[in-house]
Each structure stands twice: as structure tokens, then as C-alpha cells.
């Protein structure tokens, strides 16, 4: 018997399943479909990226809706435009034999009236991004007061992107009796919180280990000085000549900058971020799919919808702000049963985060060395030899063979080979022969030391209009420390947060005289909950990393690259009501 049939799916859907060529249900489908079909209950389903979650909720949703009635019965919230379109397309395929069933996508960046008209014609299912959904609700263009099912897809990512408030507002407009199905790749505490708040004793379905990354992805990290980040990236690319990768940066600015440098240095690279027009983004994605682009440099948000198989490497040029996002990044590779590598370029002080990520993904990272110039030259030479060996002979050359032979007369086979290789290789070799070792040694004690963390008490909290996300944003911005502010814990009247211990002097000094909306802000170190307190402000030795040959094109600009990253959080907007907290006396310092 057809395995999908055994799950209880009807003929219309089974026919569509056959058309799509799905042979067997995936694990999450096998577990979730019977529950969603048969239980009148809220459900939380956790399964890693690429495991077929869309069909896991899509099949039961389609089967349970009444396609003869035109009113909106199912609402799916999804974090990005790309995912919204992807889900809509999938649902349309699943329901192609269900007469009268209409699925409409609602997302920003497209004409809102067109979308409203499509809904007016009758949309039993709406797939929406939270922002646009709110817009349409305000303008009375949608009616979700009679829905039976609400699906929060990629819930972790929606929360990462700061959609908590929007989701709350949207759900407030839906009937109490509806069922809520939450799908997520990871279960950070924010997702448990949302499940607690909006769902009634949900049935939990977990596939694989909770929060686990894709199993066929190996995880590697490389420790370099921050000024060498870009060169390290280049070497990783050069050591993998057939690389087909997504390179993740934290900000749009860095994304653009890294892509530009790569292009300048002769790589097939392009940037993908939210400042590009939709048209530009579509073009970039098309070139990436057709492999004209080998290295796609992207922000997390822009990359979220990327559904390209065969990606060989995910490179974390910088770690994400929220370490939970790492799972989404590494999930871009190792899809469809292929193996993949997720590489992370870090500086010493980020060792702590590798440990945290290991806990989340429940897998170990391997510490690897950035290849030396000589190693890269070897890889490239052998790659060239293989390329020559595998090249199909172009017989258009035949008529010119006589002339060519005459020119090359007198060269032995060996000389000929050497010369052919030199044509391709000398430039490369010259570039790398003086290249220095980019690795920095990380001793066990250094790892411990860099793990030294200080916990602070701060006298602001929910009462001041913050939640954990907006407070974290505020602290990142106020201290200029970006994601070196962590473990933010927002209480009613006060809050806690951590930074590395070597930042504590700076943090305390910063808040010595700091006003927020006319109120004095106090920050002090708390002893009890700090991890290993440690002597504050043991200033790191400054080394002079200056100069040193090498002839890298990107080098002179590489020096200040990391400096540029810091403080770039000012431009990062979160969709939250607290986005414009008026803080006076704002001081900004860089480390
Ligand atoms: P997720 O939401 O878990 O990241 P998707 O729902 O986007 O994953 O599915 C990933 C891909 O797998 C899609 O291209 C989808 O069409 C395909 N797929 C889903 N279920 C099956 C199945 N049972 N057999 C084969 N392919 C499937
Ligand atoms: Mg999905």
C-alpha cells in the first residue's frame, strides 16, 4: 500500500503526491499527518530544515478545509517573502485536484490591492508574512475572525526576526477555538514561550534530536585574527576549487563589502541582502541556481528562503547574532541526502560561542587550520591536472595543429606540461608563496580565559517597555558591543545581561552617567549568577599586526574590516514597538 495512503490522506491529495514524485513520507510527515488529521488539538512539531515540514502541515490542512465555502479557514504565518511564496507554490501543487480551493500569498514588496482582490475572490488559505498581514488587517482587507487553523511556520525564525509583537497582534484577531500548529527547526526558549502563551496543552512531535542540525553536515571552525577574516575566507575558497557556497555575514553592509572584495579578487560572487530590489535579488538567485555564482554572500534574512540543493559549503564569515540562527545557516547545505560542510571563521573570544552552538546542535565542531599558501597551491595544481585530464577535446583546434606544433617544436613532453601549468599557475603561486600562516594558536587556558564572562544587573525592565529582544538591541547599541552582549534576561523591574569580562570596565564606565527617558540607569556586576566572575578588565595585550609582505590584493583593506563591523548594529531594525526608545545621554564606544 502507498505509504501516504496509510497516513489517512484522501485521493485528491494522493494523486498530487504521485504527480510530485514523493515516494515515501518523511519522518516528520509520518508523525505529524495522522495527528493533525485526527486530533482536535494544538500541535508543536520540531524537525530540522529540509525535512518536508510544509507538506506535513499542508496535506492535513488541505484535507480538513471546506473548499465549497469561500471564507478564510487557514492562516499560515511565515517569516519571509521567499518562504511565503515557496509555501504557497507547494500548497497549490498539493491541492491541484481539490476543486475550488484557493491559496493566496500575502507579503510585502508587492501591490497590496492586488493581494486584497485575490482574497476577495475567496481564499480558504492565506500564507502571509506578519508585517504585510498587519497592514491588511488595519485596512480591513482580510477577515481572519473565522479561521479554524493557524500555522506558525519557521516559528524560531519569525521570533529571531522580531515578529513576536506582530504575531501576538495577529493572533488576537483569530477565534479562540481555532487550532494552532507550530512548526520550527529549533526550539529556543522563545519558541517554548510562544507555545505556552498561545497554545492549549499542545501535542509535541519531535523528529531527531531536538535542535539538531542536519546529520550529514560536518561542522568546522577556524580561529584567526579579526583582521585576517577576509583572507581566511579567500583561502577556504581557494582550497576548495569546486566550492558552491553561501557565505553568511551579519549585516547588509558587511555582506555587500565582502561580495565586492570577492568580485574584485576574481571570484564568481554576489551579494544577497534586503537593500537590493526584488528584481536584483531574483537575478542573483537565478545566477546562483545556474551556478554562474559560486559564492553567494548573504544576510540571514535574505538567505532564509534559499532552496538550492547541492550547496557544498556554508561559510560563517561571522557568527550570527543569535546563535540559534546557526542551525538555519548550516541547514542550507547537506540537503537532499548530500553531505556538506559548515565552516565558521572566528576570533579567539568567540570560542565560547562554539561551545554554546555545540550544545544547541548536539554535535561537535572540528577545529581546523586555515590552509597555508603551499597547501592551496598543491590543491589548485592537482585540480588543474584533473581538469585537463577530464576536458573533452575540441576538434575545432585540429586545423591549427600544424601551426601550433611548429611554434612548440623541440619541447619535450615534460617541458610542455610545465609550461602549460605555468601559464595558469604562476600568478596564483606568486600570490601565495609569501603568504603567512593565518592560524592563531588557541591554548586550552586561552579558551577558558576567553570564556570568562561577567553578569550585570541593570535597573530597567519590562516596566520600561522592554522585552528581552528590544533590551538586547538596546544594550548592543548602547555598549557598541554588538553580539558580545548575551544572556539577556528581562524581568519586570530590572534585568540581567552578560559580557566578556574584559569588557566589564568599559560597560561599568559607560553606565556611570547614563539616562534613559530622564531616569538614571544603574548597572552593577552581580556575583551570584555570573559565570566564573574573574578579575575585571584584564586588558588584552595589544599586538602589532602590521605589515608583512604577501602581496594580497585585499590585504590593505583587510586590516580594519572587523573594526567596521562593530557598532554597525545601529542600523539593524527590529520590528518592535520599542524600536525607537528615546535614550538621552547615549554614549557610544568601541572597544
Ligand atoms: P522544511 O520546511 O522542513 O525545511 P520543505 O517543506 O521546504 O522542508 O521541503 C523540502 C523539500 O523536500 C521540498 O522541495 C519538498 O518538495 C521536498 N519534499 C517534501 N516531502 C517530500 C517527500 N515525502 N518526498 C520527497 N520530497 C519531499
Ligand atoms: Mg519550511
Amino acid at each position: 500500500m502507498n505509504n501516504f495512503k496509510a497516513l489517512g490522506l484522501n485521493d485528491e491529495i494522493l494523486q498530487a503526491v504521485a504527480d510530485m514524485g514523493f515516494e515515501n513520507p518523511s519522518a516528520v510527515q509520518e508523525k505529524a499527518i495522522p495527528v493533525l488529521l485526527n486530533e482536535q488539538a494544538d500541535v508543536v512539531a520540531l524537525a530540522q530544515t529540509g525535512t518536508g515540514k510544509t507538506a506535513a502541515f499542508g496535506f492535513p490542512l488541505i484535507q480538513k478545509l471546506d473548499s465549497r465555502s469561500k471564507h478564510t479557514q487557514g492562516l499560515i504565518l511565515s517569516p519571509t517573502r521567499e518562504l511565503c511564496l515557496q509555501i504557497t507554490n507547494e500548497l497549490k501543487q498539493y491541492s491541484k485536484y481539490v476543486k475550488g480551493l484557493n491559496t493566496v500569498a500575502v507579503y510585502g514588496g508587492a501591490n497590496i490591492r492586488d493581494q486584497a482582490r485575490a482574497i476577495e475572490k475567496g481564499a480558504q488559505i492565506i500564507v502571509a508574512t506578519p508585517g504585510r498581514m498587519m497592514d491588511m488587517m488595519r485596512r480591513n482587507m482580510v477577515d481572519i475572525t473565522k479561521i479554524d487553523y493557524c500555522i506558525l511556520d519557521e516559528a524560531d525564525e519569525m521570533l529571531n526576526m522580531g515578529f513576536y509583537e506582530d504575531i501576538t497582534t495577529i493572533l488576537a484577531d483569530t477565534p479562540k477555538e481555532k487550532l494552532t500548529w507550530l512548526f520550527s527547526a529549533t526550539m529556543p526558549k522563545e519558541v517554548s514561550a510562544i507555545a505556552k502563551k498561545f497554545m492549549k496543552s499542545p501535542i509535541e512531535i519531535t523528529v531527531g534530536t531536538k535542535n539538531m542540525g542536519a546529520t550529514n553536515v560536518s561542522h568546522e571552525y577556524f580561529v584567526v585574527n579579526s583582521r585576517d577574516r577576509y583572507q581566511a575566507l579567500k583561502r577556504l575558497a581557494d582550497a576548495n576549487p569546486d566550492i558552491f557556497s553561501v557565505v553568511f555575514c551579519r549585516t547588509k553592509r558587511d555582506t555587500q563589502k565582502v561580495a565586492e572584495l570577492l568580485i574584485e579578487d576574481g571570484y564568481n560572487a554576489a551579494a544577497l541582502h534586503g537593500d537590493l530590489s526584488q528584481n536584483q535579488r531574483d537575478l542573483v538567485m537565478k545566477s546562483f541556481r545556474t551556478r554562474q555564482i559560486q559564492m553567494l554572500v548573504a544576510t540571514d534574512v535574505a538567505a532564509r528562503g534559499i532552496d538550492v540543493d547541492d550547496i557544498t559549503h556554508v561559510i560563517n564569515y561571522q557568527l550570527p547574532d543569535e546563535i540559534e540562527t546557526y542551525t538555519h545557516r548550516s541547514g542550507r547545505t547537506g540537503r537532499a541526502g548530500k553531505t556538506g560542510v559548515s565552516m565558521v571563521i572566528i576570533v579567539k573570544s568567540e570560542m565560547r560561542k562554539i561551545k554554546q552552538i555545540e550544545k544547541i546542535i548536539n554535535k561537535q565542531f572540528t577545529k581546523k587550520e586555515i590552509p597555508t599558501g603551499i597547501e592551496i597551491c598543491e590543491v589548485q595544481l592537482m585540480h588543474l591536472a584533473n581538469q585537463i585530464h577530464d576536458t573533452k577535446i575540441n576538434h575545432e583546434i585540429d586545423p591549427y595543429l600544424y601551426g601550433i606544433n611548429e611554434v612548440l617544436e623541440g619541447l619535450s613532453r615534460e617541458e610542455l606540461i610545465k609550461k602549460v601549468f605555468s601559464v595558469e599557475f604562476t600568478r596564483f603561486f606568486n600570490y601565495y608563496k609569501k603568504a603567512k600562516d593565518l592560524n592563531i594558536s588557541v591554548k586550552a587556558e586561552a579558551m577558558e580565559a576567553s570564556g570568562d564572562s561577567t553578569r550585570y544587573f541593570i535597573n530597567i525592565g519590562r516596566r520600561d517597555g522592554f522585552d528581552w529582544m528590544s533590551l538586547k538591541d538596546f544594550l548592543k547599541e548602547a555598549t557598541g558591543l554588538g553580539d558580545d552582549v548575551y544572556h539577556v534576561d528581562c524581568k519586570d523591574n530590572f534585568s540581567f545581561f552578560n559580557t566578556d569580562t574584559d569588557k566589564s570596565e568599559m560597560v561599568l564606565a559607560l553606565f556611570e552617567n547614563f539616562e534613559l527617558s530622564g531616569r538614571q540607569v544603574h548597572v552593577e556586576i552581580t556575583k551570584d549568577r555570573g559565570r566564573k566572575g574573574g578579575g575585571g578588565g584584564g586588558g588584552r595585550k595589544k599586538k602589532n599586526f602590521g605589515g608583512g609582505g604577501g602581496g594580497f590584493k585585499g590585504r590593505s583593506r583587510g586590516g580594519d574590516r572587523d573594526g567596521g563591523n562593530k557598532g554597525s548594529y545601529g542600523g539593524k531594525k527590529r520590528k518592535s514597538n520599542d524600536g525607537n526608545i528615546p535614550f538621552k545621554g547615549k554614549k557610544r564606544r568601541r572597544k
Side-chain angles (χ1 to χ4, degrees):
M1 183 162 63
N2 179 309
N3 290 320
F4 280 101
K5 192 167 182 169
L7 299 179
L9 294 171
N10 64 23
D11 287 343
E12 281 108 330
I13 291 177
L14 291 177
Q15 217 172 329
V17 168
D19 286 359
M20 285 180 298
F22 292 4
E23 285 170 5
N24 289 301
S26 69
V28 67
Q29 291 163 2
E30 200 153 34
K31 284 193 177 177
I33 290 171
V35 174
L36 298 178
L37 281 177
N38 301 315
E39 306 284 338
Q40 274 301 109
D42 287 347
V43 171
V44 171
L46 301 174
Q48 45 185 274
T49 305
T51 52
K53 293 192 286 296
T54 316
F57 64 75
F59 292 162
L61 178 67
I62 290 164
Q63 186 156 325
K64 295 191 92 171
L65 294 184
D66 178 4
S67 57
R68 285 160 307 177
S69 170
K70 288 279 171 212
H71 79 279
T72 301
Q73 300 158 49
L75 170 67
I76 299 165
L77 292 177
S78 126
T80 66
R81 174 193 200 272
E82 282 74 18
L83 277 172
C84 183
L85 284 167
Q86 220 170 281
I87 295 166
T88 308
N89 286 334
E90 292 259 329
L91 292 184
K92 284 191 168 156
Q93 289 187 55
Y94 305 161
S95 64
K96 68 181 189 190
Y97 297 110
V98 182
K99 257 208 193 123
L101 186 70
N102 230 343
T103 303
V104 171
V106 159
Y107 50 87
N111 190 315
I112 196 166
R113 298 198 176 282
D114 291 345
Q115 293 175 354
R117 260 192 296 276
I119 291 172
E120 240 169 64
K121 283 191 210 147
Q124 290 92 343
I125 303 177
I126 293 178
V127 187
T129 53
R132 175 53 66 96
M133 190 64 198
M134 298 266 289
D135 257 6
M136 299 195 87
M137 285 165 62
R138 265 185 240 116
R139 301 200 203 182
N140 284 324
M141 289 168 158
V142 281
D143 178 10
I144 51 170
T145 59
K146 294 195 212 48
I147 62 167
D148 304 305
Y149 305 98
C150 178
I151 292 136
L152 305 174
D153 192 24
E154 315 277 356
D156 51 355
E157 196 57 20
M158 283 204 280
L159 294 175
N160 274 341
M161 289 168 63
F163 282 134
Y164 181 84
E165 314 267 337
D166 288 7
I167 294 173
T168 311
T169 313
I170 294 167
L171 290 183
D173 226 27
T174 61
K176 274 212 170 63
E177 316 76 59
K178 64 152 193 310
L179 297 183
T180 306
W181 300 343
L182 183 152
F183 281 74
S184 188
T186 61
M187 188 74 166
K189 59 180 183 305
E190 294 75 30
V191 176
S192 336
I194 215 172
K196 272 209 193 83
K197 177 155 184 195
F198 297 111
M199 302 170 78
K200 282 162 260 159
S201 31
I203 299 176
E204 198 176 305
I205 293 170
T206 308
V207 171
T209 314
K210 243 191 228 186
N211 295 337
M212 215 172 77
T215 45
N216 36 1
V217 175
S218 53
H219 303 265
E220 302 176 347
Y221 71 91
F222 302 82
V223 187
V224 301
N225 286 311
S226 63
R227 63 193 307 280
D228 291 331
R229 239 182 240 271
Y230 176 69
Q231 290 167 45
L233 171 66
K234 281 184 54 160
R235 289 208 198 169
L236 293 176
D238 289 338
N240 295 281
D242 289 321
I243 195 166
F244 181 53
S245 67
V246 184
V247 179
F248 283 97
C249 296
R250 266 201 302 250
T251 64
K252 292 179 199 168
R253 227 179 62 190
D254 293 337
T255 303
Q256 185 65 32
K257 214 163 54 181
V258 170
E260 278 171 14
L261 285 168
L262 286 171
I263 293 166
E264 214 174 276
D265 286 341
Y267 296 86
N268 299 321
L272 186 74
H273 55 68
D275 281 351
L276 304 177
S277 72
Q278 191 56 47
N279 214 6
Q280 287 171 314
R281 270 190 281 172
D282 290 345
L283 269 175
V284 168
M285 278 314 295
K286 196 171 156 212
S287 317
F288 187 54
R289 278 208 179 82
T290 55
R291 304 240 182 172
Q292 280 155 296
I293 289 169
Q294 262 187 300
M295 300 177 80
L296 181 67
V297 191
T299 58
D300 287 296
V301 175
R304 195 61 196 102
I306 294 177
D307 183 20
V308 176
D309 291 338
D310 302 337
I311 289 170
T312 59
H313 294 74
V314 163
I315 301 181
N316 294 263
Y317 183 77
Q318 296 147 333
L319 278 172
D321 273 343
E322 307 287 340
I323 51 173
E324 284 82 6
T325 307
Y326 178 82
T327 327
H328 291 297
R329 291 182 173 189
S330 59
R332 298 297 107 202
T333 185
R335 290 168 74 90
K338 306 258 171 42
T339 57
V341 186
S342 175
M343 299 174 151
V344 185
I345 303 172
I346 57 165
V347 298
K348 240 183 193 175
S349 65
E350 290 173 311
M351 293 292 297
R352 166 178 52 73
K353 291 190 185 149
I354 294 291
K355 295 278 159 231
Q356 291 172 355
I357 293 172
E358 284 181 339
K359 282 198 195 106
I360 289 177
I361 61 175
N362 202 10
K363 284 185 93 174
Q364 298 284 310
F365 272 81
T366 314
K367 182 179 183 304
K368 290 273 186 119
E369 303 273 298
I370 297 284
T372 63
I374 292 302
E375 283 165 343
I376 289 171
C377 287
E378 277 172 22
V379 170
Q380 290 281 345
L381 260 180
M382 290 320 291
H383 184 252
L384 185 57
N386 280 311
Q387 259 187 327
I388 291 174
H389 183 265
D390 296 342
T391 295
K392 258 178 77 182
I393 288 172
N394 178 350
H395 287 286
E396 301 294 320
I397 294 168
D398 293 354
Y400 308 99
L401 216 51
Y402 180 77
I404 294 173
N405 260 325
E406 231 173 343
V407 174
L408 299 180
E409 211 191 330
L411 291 178
S412 69
R413 175 184 151 93
E414 196 170 323
E415 277 172 318
L416 196 58
I417 290 175
K418 282 183 184 169
K419 279 182 187 272
V420 168
F421 274 73
S422 303
V423 169
E424 282 285 330
F425 198 65
T426 302
R427 210 170 53 110
F428 206 85
F429 182 73
N430 285 342
Y431 179 78
Y432 267 125
K433 70 181 172 196
K434 280 183 253 150
K436 65 169 185 178
D437 183 2
L438 295 184
N439 298 290
I440 53 176
S441 65
V442 186
K443 292 201 196 87
E445 318 90 75
M447 258 180 86
E448 286 300 307
S450 70
D452 260 4
S453 186
T454 295
R455 190 153 179 87
Y456 307 85
F457 162 91
I458 185 165
N459 67 330
I460 53 176
R462 288 198 202 103
R463 176 185 59 154
D464 306 281
F466 287 102
D467 57 21
W468 71 272
M469 252 175 342
S470 57
L471 182 64
K472 189 166 182 179
D473 278 349
F474 163 72
L475 290 168
K476 281 175 174 183
E477 160 106 20
T479 59
L481 286 177
D483 69 339
D484 288 341
V485 176
Y486 46 93
H487 293 321
V488 175
D489 202 354
C490 186
K491 311 274 184 203
D492 284 337
N493 294 316
F494 53 86
S495 306
F496 297 100
F497 66 97
N498 278 53
T499 72
D500 286 353
T501 296
D502 60 0
K503 304 291 187 318
S504 63
E505 253 177 1
M506 186 278 269
V507 171
L508 291 178
L510 171 75
F511 285 106
E512 232 159 55
N513 198 356
F514 193 105
E515 275 185 17
L516 178 70
S517 311
R519 207 154 70 81
Q520 186 68 38
V521 173
H522 292 293
V523 169
E524 51 192 78
I525 293 177
T526 69
K527 288 273 158 6
D528 37 335
R529 303 189 54 186
R531 321 157 138 200
K532 298 188 186 175
R540 249 183 237 158
K541 262 188 243 156
K542 284 219 171 61
K543 264 194 208 152
N544 181 7
F545 293 114
F552 284 96
K553 228 187 188 180
R555 161 160 288 186
S556 58
R557 301 218 248 131
D560 62 6
R561 193 136 302 139
D562 221 42
N565 298 340
K566 301 287 173 193
S568 54
Y569 291 90
K572 190 178 170 189
K573 274 189 228 126
R574 275 241 151 87
K575 283 210 115 202
S576 132
N577 295 338
D578 308 314
N580 41 13
I581 296 159
F583 43 91
K584 270 190 239 153
K586 186 181 107 183
K587 288 192 229 165
R588 212 163 161 163
R589 291 205 203 159
R590 311 266 154 96
K591 63 169 174 177

